[in-house]
Amino acid sequence: MRASLHMAASAVAGAAGCLAVSPGFGASLFLSGSLLDVDHAELFLSSGLPATPRAMIASLLHNERGLGERYGFRRRVPAGWSFPVLHSVELILLYGLPGLLLGDAILTGIAAGAMLHILMDLGNYPESPFFFSLVWRGIARRRLMAAWSAREPQSGL
């Protein structure tokens, strides 16, 4: 999914969170939901995306097929089972449980933003929804790598 759509949805949810819960919750939700794709940068650059500001901005606005047409980008099979490491239910639990137990709006907002982002990504990764568990990725590494190899470039949102 395009990063710009994650940013727009996170902005709306963050604004609602500011009003309904607290400014800290809303801001952390917005930042977490918007910036979760930062872990894609290395893969995108190693897959043919130029390391220029223009290409980086284009990667926020275009899908994989559009980046391929514009820059010759072709997403390769990730080198490791953990890609993307930030897209995991374990990360949501790491922030969400302490946030809820301690009543910390910022930690809870980080978890909520990550959850929003992952919900928007359902179906965009091979082996989804299991893909979003780091534990599952480790256990099913061969199966996941085979699914990545067969994956076509994304042309939708």
Side-chain angles (χ1 to χ4, degrees), residues 90-102 104 107-112:
E90 292 87 354
L91 182 69
I92 293 170
L93 295 173
L94 179 68
Y95 286 103
L97 289 177
L100 291 172
L101 292 172
L102 300 172
D104 187 305
L107 289 176
T108 307
I110 292 170

Side-chain angles (χ1 to χ4, degrees), residues 3 6-7 10 27-40 60 86-87 113-114 117:
H6 285 299
M7 290 175 184
S10 297
S28 60
L29 187 158
F30 167 68
L31 291 172
S32 175
S34 295
L35 301 177
L36 207 64
D37 282 338
V38 73
D39 57 1
H40 293 9
L60 299 175
L86 297 179
H87 293 62
H117 188 106

Side-chain angles (χ1 to χ4, degrees), residues 44 46-47 60-61 88 100 111 113 116 145 150 157:
F44 275 34
S46 67
S47 297
L60 299 175
L61 303 174
S88 70
L100 291 172
L116 172 64
M145 290 303 164
L157 299 173

Side-chain angles (χ1 to χ4, degrees), residues 19-101:
L19 296 172
V21 181
S22 74
F25 176 85
S28 60
L29 187 158
F30 167 68
L31 291 172
S32 175
S34 295
L35 301 177
L36 207 64
D37 282 338
V38 73
D39 57 1
H40 293 9
E42 185 277 327
L43 180 65
F44 275 34
L45 292 172
S46 67
S47 297
L49 191 68
T52 64
R54 178 181 224 163
M56 291 293 127
I57 291 170
S59 75
L60 299 175
L61 303 174
H62 298 283
N63 59 36
E64 290 178 16
R65 185 164 287 154
L67 291 174
E69 292 168 1
R70 182 173 279 207
Y71 296 106
F73 169 86
R74 175 73 169 114
R75 182 184 258 185
R76 62 174 174 75
V77 176
W81 61 268
S82 62
F83 174 83
V85 72
L86 297 179
H87 293 62
S88 70
V89 293
E90 292 87 354
L91 182 69
I92 293 170
L93 295 173
L94 179 68
Y95 286 103
L97 289 177
L100 291 172
L101 292 172

